[in-house]
Amino acid sequence: MPEQSNRIGEVAALEEEIAQLRRAVVSPAVIDQAIGVVVAYGGVRPDTGWDVLREISQHTNTKLREVAEHLVQWPHCQWLPPGIRRCLDAALERRTPSPGREGEGVEGR
């Protein structure tokens, strides 16, 4: 019986490892797609889109991959968690020059 229990534990550990590897493979693609969503929504450059994603992740205490997944689904489901939406808008506001102050945003400093 202990041998069977040991095998079950090994199978569970292997299944978890496979799930982690799948997430690791998918994550970069989802993150790139999310950067595209931020670029399209905020009219910013891709490097700024990456900074915005990181900022949202840090300020909402949400894994970057999860933030990216929400942003990629947003155009399809028309819903974004309120905390992520507030953070996204605030981050973009800080990076977008105000009218009449062209070039004075964070990128221009």
Side-chain angles (χ1 to χ4, degrees):
M1 227 22 164
E3 188 176 312
Q4 183 179 7
S5 176
N6 214 10
R7 285 189 199 143
I8 292 172
E10 288 175 8
V11 168
L14 288 171
E15 287 175 343
E16 176 58 29
E17 186 176 350
I18 289 168
Q20 288 175 358
L21 289 171
R22 284 184 177 152
R23 285 191 297 268
V25 169
V26 170
S27 285
V30 172
I31 290 169
D32 285 345
Q33 292 170 7
I35 290 170
V37 170
V38 173
V39 166
Y41 176 70
V44 295
R45 297 180 359 206
D47 57 329
T48 301
W50 166 248
D51 293 340
V52 168
L53 279 182
R54 281 194 353 230
E55 184 176 326
I56 293 168
S57 174
Q58 291 170 352
H59 288 209
T60 61
N61 198 27
T62 307
K63 290 182 180 181
L64 185 73
R65 176 181 40 83
E66 291 176 29
V67 171
E69 289 169 356
H70 283 297
L71 286 169
V72 168
Q73 290 302 314
W74 179 30
H76 304 289
C77 66
Q78 301 295 308
W79 182 82
L80 196 58
I84 291 176
R85 178 63 184 264
R86 280 191 301 275
C87 230
L88 171 64
D89 289 339
L92 289 171
E93 176 82 20
R94 284 190 291 278
R95 288 167 171 81
T96 305
S98 300
R101 294 186 339 166
E102 306 272 334
E104 290 186 22
V106 172
E107 289 179 341
R109 292 183 185 166

